[in-house]
Every structure is written in structure tokens, then in C-alpha cells.
Amino acid sequence: MALNGIDVASYQTGLDPAKVPCDFVIVKATQGTTYINPDFKRMADAAIAAGKLLGIYHYAGGGNPISEANFFLKTIKPYIGKAILALDWEKDQNPAFNKSDVSWSKTFLDHVKGQTGVTPFIYMSKGMGCRAHNWIAVAKDYPLWGAQYANMDRTGYQKNPWTDNGSWGAWDKVTIFQYSSGGQLKNWNGRLDLDLAYMNSKEWAEWASGKPVKDPFPDKTDTDLAVEVLFNAHGVDEARKKKLGIRWSGAQVQVDRLLRDESKFPLIFAIQQYLKKHGFGELIK
């Protein structure tokens, strides 16, 4: 229950989503209040025609957030309800980035949701973004498309990409993970951003359409669920996948992380933290 995909901008002009292997394509549409990716419409239409799941993002320019949101919505109007929407929050060409007040992003996201009924994602790096400021006001309503790279090497899709042991800040989990900018895929010679979405195609469509996506364990982190998985608290195989729902992929990533460290310290620490928060009851029921 995870999807492999790419995110693209004008640098990937001409890429054919029907020929490049991917479950989804997230396309840059706009930046600020004047820039439109000249390849946006062609790429979005090509992705839909190829049967790929679609995402669309706006790169924050740091101007008036309502004006930028309206410019974004006007540009992407034909695709609303068909694509996951996102705000790209980065430092370059964004004078609002270094402000500790996260209200710019929240204002943009609230406006997009209010105008469309679709809950947008927010993109940022794990270190310079998620852990740099207090994002609680945003994280409680908007899912994270987070980025962190192990290196800049060329790579294909990875099932369990590296991430450090630090937190995602105010988010207890990442929903879409951009783990490389050195993607190397068939039928495209250039570098690609590679992403892993911890959801299935039905859930992607629900995010796009504005239908609520139910989290079956809202009070538990992916690491909490991983501990439960290791104690077989949710059954096995398909029964476990069904019970964990949208949380299965994220929990499995943490299972792999906890087991691959030969020192066993991360595993022991995770179990200790779990017991402090939840006790034994959930593990032995």
C-alpha cells in the first residue's frame, strides 16, 4: 500500500508520463502571482491520459498569500477534484521563508481548502523546514509532503528510503516522502525527484476529491504502530494491512528501521517510549 512517483517542473519539459514508470506525477503549476510552468497543462493532461494519479503544486513566492492562492486556483481550475494539491515551501525566491511565524503558509492552505473543499499538502525539507519552526497550527490540518536525501547519487525507486532518526517536527508522520533528486528512470535521461506516497490509489483519489481520509489510529505515531506490529497486535499479512489502512506503509517503514540497526537501541528505545505512552494493554490484547 504505497505508490512510487515523481514530481516535475519546467526542467522536465517533454517528459512522457506514459513512458516513464510511475504511479503518480506531481506537477509544478505556479509560483508567486505571475509565473506559470509553461509545461504544466501538457504534463497534467498527459499524466491523466496515461492513467497516472495527478498532483499539482504552487511554489511559494512570499508575497500576499491570498493573492498567490487565487492565482494558483485560477490556473489549475480544470483539475480541481482530480489532483492532490500542495504548497511548496522552500527558501529560494521566498522572502517569507525565514520568518518564524508560520501564518503565511496557513493562510494559503486555509484559503485553498476553503475555496475548493480539498485539503492541500505542504512540502518542505525535514531539517530546514519541519524542525525549524513550530508548525503545530499547520500540521493539525494539513498532511506533510516531506523531503530528505541520503545523498545526491543516481538511484531508481526505493522501497524503504533512508531518513534520519529525528522527528518530522509537528507531524508524527510523513504522508508523501521525496527521498531523492537523483532519480534515474527508464525513458528519461535527466535527473528526477523520486517520491514514495504512503497510501493506495483509492486514498489518493479521496485526497484529490476532498473526501476525508480516515486515520484509524490518530493518537499513535508510525513508530508506535511499528512496535504493535512487532508484537503481532494487528494480525499478519493481509489482515494487518486491512486493519492498519492508510497507516500500514508508514508503520512498515518504521518496522524496517527498528530491525536493521544491529545495536537494537532504536528498537529498545521505541518499546520503552511506547510503554510510557500506552502501557502493555495494546500489545497483549
Side-chain angles (χ1 to χ4, degrees):
M1 281 177 39
L3 303 168
N4 291 309
I6 58 177
D7 60 273
V8 298
S10 60
Y11 305 108
Q12 288 79 33
T13 295
L15 181 147
D16 186 348
K19 295 180 179 179
V20 175
C22 57
D23 297 317
F24 63 86
V25 183
I26 307 177
V27 188
K28 180 178 181 178
T30 52
Q31 180 173 339
T33 55
T34 58
Y35 176 81
I36 299 175
N37 172 10
D39 198 43
F40 160 62
K41 188 176 186 305
R42 183 206 67 83
M43 184 73 78
D45 289 344
I48 292 172
K52 310 295 185 178
L53 298 166
L54 180 64
I56 300 173
Y57 73 90
H58 171 82
Y59 189 104
N64 182 288
I66 299 295
S67 298
E68 292 200 23
N70 285 335
F71 177 62
F72 175 57
L73 294 175
K74 180 181 179 181
T75 303
I76 69 167
K77 186 176 180 180
Y79 306 98
I80 294 173
K82 302 176 182 178
I84 278 181
L85 308 181
L87 171 65
D88 186 340
W89 185 250
E90 297 185 52
K91 181 177 181 179
D92 291 347
Q93 302 178 57
N94 179 8
F97 181 84
N98 286 323
K99 295 179 180 179
S100 60
D101 183 359
V102 302
S103 63
W104 196 103
S105 297
K106 189 173 188 307
T107 299
F108 179 99
L109 295 165
D110 285 348
H111 189 71
V112 169
K113 185 173 182 178
Q115 293 295 306
T116 65
V118 175
T119 298
F121 285 56
I122 184 167
Y123 169 95
M124 67 182 75
S125 71
K126 190 175 187 181
M128 292 182 63
C130 297
R131 299 196 289 239
H133 302 302
N134 183 354
W135 289 95
I136 290 176
V138 172
K140 67 183 183 67
D141 294 319
Y142 302 105
L144 177 65
W145 172 18
Q148 188 179 48
Y149 307 157
N151 50 55
M152 302 301 289
D153 295 347
R154 302 304 298 271
T155 180
Y157 289 125
Q158 298 178 25
K159 182 180 179 181
N160 297 302
W162 173 87
T163 183
D164 67 28
N165 289 325
S167 75
W168 289 97
W171 288 270
D172 62 15
K173 62 182 182 296
V174 62
T175 304
I176 302 175
F177 182 26
Q178 184 195 84
Y179 57 87
S180 176
S181 64
Q184 189 169 18
L185 300 178
K186 184 173 66 174
N187 296 321
W188 182 254
N189 292 326
R191 299 173 71 91
L192 290 166
D193 292 341
L194 300 184
D195 301 89
L196 187 64
Y198 298 112
M199 64 182 82
N200 58 35
S201 57
K202 179 177 180 293
E203 291 155 356
W204 184 288
E206 288 174 343
W207 281 115
S209 67
K211 295 179 181 178
V213 178
K214 184 179 179 182
D215 183 346
F217 301 96
D219 62 331
K220 293 178 180 176
T221 67
D222 285 347
T223 302
D224 290 337
L225 293 177
V227 171
E228 293 180 353
V229 166
L230 291 170
F231 277 81
N232 287 326
H234 299 290
V236 298
D237 300 330
E238 291 304 316
R240 177 189 293 162
K241 287 185 178 182
K242 184 176 180 180
K243 187 172 181 181
L244 293 180
I246 63 170
R247 301 297 301 279
W248 180 85
S249 294
Q252 191 59 51
V253 168
Q254 293 306 314
V255 168
D256 294 338
R257 178 182 69 83
L258 295 176
L259 293 181
R260 69 172 170 249
D261 192 310
E262 294 182 358
S263 73
K264 303 303 181 185
F265 175 78
L267 175 60
I268 295 169
F269 182 76
I271 294 172
Q272 289 174 335
Q273 293 301 109
Y274 180 93
L275 294 176
K276 285 181 181 179
K277 290 187 289 182
H278 305 291
F280 278 104
E282 296 294 306
L283 298 181
I284 60 177
K285 63 182 181 180

